[in-house]
Amino acid sequence: MSAYGNQMEREYSAQSVSSEGGSAMGSQFNMESVIYMSSCAATVFIGALVIVGILMMTLLISLTVMLQSCQSREAGVIESHHHHHHHHYDYCKMAALNTEISNYEADSLPEFCKEVAVNYIKEGHYMRELNNSVSLVEKYFNGVTPNDDGHDTVLIDIDDILPTKYLDSNPLLYGYNRFGCDDCVREAKHMKHVFLVELYKKLESGGWPLILLSRKPEKQREATIKNLKSAGCGGWSKLIMRSNEGMMTDTRDYFLKQKGSIESDGYNIRAVISSHMDMLVGPFVKTQNFKLPNPLPVAPTQITV
C-alpha cells in the first residue's frame, strides 16, 4: 500500500477509536443519569410511604381513643340505668313486703312501683322467683312424709290457684295498662296458677291431707269447687270459705282463727303455702311457712259481697 494509503488508514482507525470512545462515554453518562433519577424517585416514594404510614397510624390511634371513649360513656350510661332500675326494684320490693306485712294498703306505694312491677313480669324475674319458690317447697316435701295416723296436713291458699278470671276484680290493679302491659296481670296470675296446680297434684299424690282456705264468701263454695275440679285439683280434706261473720273481720284474724280450729280438730299443720302474708302469720312454731312471690305490689283480692 502507498504511504498515502497507510496514512489515510491510520487516520480512519484513529477516528473510529475516537468515535467508539465517545459513544461509550455517552452511554455511561446516560446510564448514570437513569440510575440517579431512579434513586431519587425511590427516596421520594419511600418518604411518602413513611409519611402516609405515620398519618394512618395517627388516624388509627385517634379513632381507637375516640371509640374507647364512646364505649366508656355508653357503658357508664347503661350501668347507671341498670343501677337506677335495680335500685327502684329493690326499693319497691321492700316497700311492698313491708306494706303487706303491716296493713295491705298497696295503693300507698309510689306510682313508679307499677312500672317496676310490669318490668318484673316482662323481663322474666317473676317466673324465675316463682319457679325457685315452688322448687323449695318440693324439695322440703321430698324429705318428709305424712304420719300414718292421717293427722298431718298442709294448708293451701286456693286464691293463688283459682283461674285468673276468678281473680280479676281487684280495683288496685287499675293503671298498669299505662305502662304497656295490659295482659301482665293476667299473665302473672296464669303463671302462678299453672305452677301451683302442679304443686297441688304432687302433694295430693304424695298422700298429704290438704286443707284449702279462701278469702271468698261461703256462697261461692259451689263455684269454687267447680273451678278447682276443672283445674284438676281434687282429693282435699276440707274446703274452708268465709262466713258472713268472717267477711267482716280482718283476713289475718280470720286465718289465725281458722288455724286454731283446725288444730283443735286434731290436725297437725305441717306447712302453709300462700303468696300472701295474712295466711302466714301465727304462733305455730312447728309449722313450715312457704311465702310464694307476688307478681305485683298489691293486696290480696278484696271481696266485700
Side-chain angles (χ1 to χ4, degrees):
M1 183 180 290
S2 63
Y4 178 74
N6 290 333
Q7 184 179 356
M8 290 292 291
E9 186 176 357
R10 286 195 296 273
E11 290 178 359
Y12 178 76
S13 298
Q15 289 177 358
S16 297
V17 172
S18 175
S19 176
E20 290 176 1
S23 298
M25 289 179 63
S27 299
Q28 184 177 0
F29 174 77
N30 290 336
M31 183 62 69
E32 289 176 353
S33 178
V34 170
I35 293 173
Y36 175 77
M37 292 298 291
S38 298
S39 298
C40 182
T43 302
V44 173
F45 181 70
I46 292 172
L49 282 178
V50 171
I51 293 173
V52 170
I54 293 173
L55 290 174
M56 290 295 290
M57 287 294 294
T58 303
L59 180 62
L60 182 62
I61 292 171
S62 299
L63 288 174
T64 302
V65 172
M66 290 174 63
L67 181 61
Q68 289 177 344
S69 178
C70 289
Q71 288 177 336
S72 297
R73 284 199 298 269
E74 183 179 357
V77 170
I78 293 174
E79 184 177 354
S80 176
H81 176 74
H82 176 74
H83 178 74
H84 186 67
H85 176 73
H86 189 69
H87 173 73
H88 274 184
Y89 171 74
D90 288 344
Y91 174 84
C92 290
K93 189 172 183 179
M94 290 304 300
L97 181 60
N98 286 317
T99 298
E100 188 178 17
I101 291 172
S102 58
N103 58 8
Y104 296 109
E105 293 178 2
D107 54 351
S108 64
L109 292 173
E111 182 69 16
F112 67 80
C113 285
K114 290 184 178 181
E115 183 177 6
V116 171
V118 167
N119 290 328
Y120 172 62
I121 299 169
K122 291 172 69 175
E123 295 174 4
H125 296 301
Y126 175 63
M127 172 70 85
R128 288 192 290 272
E129 287 193 4
L130 185 59
N131 182 56
N132 291 336
S133 298
V134 172
S135 295
L136 287 174
V137 179
E138 292 177 345
K139 183 177 180 181
Y140 170 78
F141 282 102
N142 284 339
V144 296
T145 54
N147 289 336
D148 294 334
D149 57 14
H151 291 168
D152 282 349
T153 187
V154 177
L155 306 189
I156 297 180
D157 183 349
I158 59 168
D159 294 339
D160 288 330
I161 296 179
L162 295 177
T164 55
K165 63 182 179 180
Y166 202 52
L167 297 174
D168 281 342
S169 58
N170 193 334
L172 296 175
L173 300 181
Y174 175 79
Y176 283 92
N177 57 347
R178 283 179 291 169
F179 302 102
C181 194
D182 295 341
D183 294 328
C184 276
V185 176
R186 190 175 296 106
E187 177 188 347
K189 288 178 179 178
H190 179 68
M191 283 190 285
K192 184 193 288 187
H193 169 75
V194 171
F195 271 96
L196 293 185
V197 166
E198 289 301 311
L199 178 61
Y200 181 103
K201 292 178 179 178
K202 289 181 180 179
L203 292 175
E204 199 270 331
S205 63
W208 286 94
L210 304 177
I211 295 180
L212 314 183
L213 291 93
S214 175
R215 299 167 187 81
K216 306 299 184 297
E218 180 64 36
K219 65 182 180 180
Q220 293 188 14
R221 175 177 292 273
E222 290 186 9
T224 301
I225 292 174
K226 180 180 178 181
N227 281 308
L228 285 169
K229 288 184 176 180
S230 65
C233 299
W236 60 80
S237 299
K238 284 187 177 183
L239 172 59
I240 302 175
M241 311 290 289
R242 292 173 77 182
S243 64
N244 292 334
E245 181 184 352
M247 295 299 297
M248 303 300 293
T249 62
D250 184 89
T251 55
R252 290 168 291 186
D253 295 332
Y254 162 72
F255 285 128
L256 195 59
K257 182 179 179 181
Q258 292 300 329
K259 288 178 183 178
S261 297
I262 290 170
E263 292 209 325
S264 296
D265 291 340
Y267 286 100
N268 176 31
I269 301 174
R270 292 289 295 270
V272 181
I273 302 171
S274 176
S275 68
H276 299 290
M277 291 298 299
D278 59 349
M279 191 171 170
L280 300 173
V281 295
F284 304 100
V285 180
K286 295 181 180 179
T287 299
Q288 184 74 34
N289 288 321
F290 291 102
K291 171 69 170 68
L292 304 176
N294 270 319
L296 302 167
V298 296
T301 304
Q302 302 296 322
I303 301 295
T304 57
V305 293

